Amino acid sequence: MAAEFLKIHPVNPEPRKINAVVEVLRKGGVIVYPTDTIYGIGCDLMNKRAVERLCQILAIKPQKLNLSFICNDLSHISEYVKRIDTPVFKILKNLLPGPYTFIFESSSNVPRILDVNKKTVGIRIPDHPIPCEMVKLLGNPLITSSIKDDDQIKEYTTDPEEMYEDFKHKVDLVIDGGTGGNVPSTVVDFTAGEPVLVRQGLGVFEY
């Protein structure tokens, strides 16, 4: 059965539609959705069957699982990160929500995803109401990856209808939240204490 294609207002997402998305996630669904950078593909972090499906769709082996968590707020982050020092917390508070992925040592709360104990975790709080409302209602982070394009010229797909054609027989739901961006998040690694810029993306990182 083909995936559902659901238009959601990108600024004022309709609550009943967010409810419908969360129901799909709670049942182990995999979805395509917008963020403040590029569109993502993800599922409920706490649903092992859904995470297995996500890995199959992305052709990723569990041992190579380096996906990010979409969280709702800073208190949500603290559940999955081993430690956030005060200076680092101030950096996060200044920059989030925003187009950043921060890498930390994972806490003991991070599930052994597919029986692989990940020592680090990438954390995102996108500045976009659709994923934030989804995660808030779901109560768990989404585990997620960016949607890339096979085109040699453009790396990321920006048209939700194109994404639907690509994924309609792989995922359960594709959200149309308007045209996506084509610049990924800026990735900063905090595992060594001092921040290390891993990838320059949409966000400007200065500290």
Side-chain angles (χ1 to χ4, degrees):
M1 190 169 69
E4 182 181 357
F5 187 72
L6 183 64
K7 287 194 175 189
I8 299 181
H9 197 285
V11 179
N12 298 301
E14 301 89 337
R16 64 178 179 81
K17 292 184 178 181
I18 296 295
N19 274 319
V21 174
V22 170
E23 280 304 305
V24 170
L25 290 167
R26 285 178 176 152
K27 291 175 181 175
V30 177
I31 68 168
V32 171
Y33 64 96
T35 74
D36 54 349
T37 54
I38 55 189
Y39 267 72
I41 177 171
C43 64
D44 181 355
L45 170 66
M46 300 303 178
N47 190 309
K48 185 175 178 180
R49 184 171 61 84
V51 177
E52 288 173 349
R53 280 189 60 208
L54 180 63
C55 286
Q56 289 170 356
I57 292 167
L58 297 173
I60 297 173
K61 292 182 179 180
Q63 293 81 4
K64 303 291 185 183
L65 194 64
N66 286 319
L67 306 179
S68 299
F69 294 1
I70 300 285
C71 293
N72 180 51
D73 55 32
L74 288 173
S75 63
H76 209 183
I77 286 178
S78 64
E79 294 179 36
Y80 304 100
V81 169
K82 190 172 183 180
R83 188 177 71 178
I84 301 179
D85 295 329
T86 301
V88 175
F89 183 82
K90 287 180 179 177
I91 292 172
L92 300 190
K93 194 172 181 181
N94 286 335
L95 295 178
L96 295 175
Y100 301 90
T101 300
F102 294 113
I103 301 173
F104 290 98
E105 284 188 71
S106 58
S107 76
S108 58
N109 287 338
V110 175
R112 291 177 65 86
I113 302 165
L114 303 182
D115 299 320
V116 177
N117 189 17
K118 299 302 293 183
K119 291 183 169 56
T120 62
V121 59
I123 297 289
R124 282 216 66 200
I125 301 179
D127 188 15
H128 195 297
I130 290 176
C132 287
E133 288 299 317
M134 290 190 311
V135 171
K136 184 177 179 181
L137 184 59
L138 180 64
N140 300 328
L142 294 182
I143 185 165
T144 188
S145 178
S146 304
I147 291 188
K148 295 202 173 188
D149 201 293
D150 292 332
D151 194 313
Q152 295 296 317
I153 298 172
K154 59 174 185 176
E155 188 175 3
Y156 297 100
T157 306
T158 60
D159 184 349
E161 293 186 1
E162 279 186 32
M163 294 176 221
Y164 181 74
E165 289 305 312
D166 290 341
F167 288 95
K168 65 182 177 183
H169 297 302
K170 298 178 181 179
V171 304
D172 301 280
L173 175 71
V174 175
I175 296 173
D176 179 356
T179 302
N182 58 7
V183 180
S185 63
T186 292
V187 180
V188 181
D189 189 337
F190 278 104
T191 57
E194 288 294 310
V196 176
L197 184 64
V198 176
R199 179 182 72 193
Q200 180 61 60
L202 189 62
V204 177
F205 183 76
E206 297 174 347
Y207 75 99

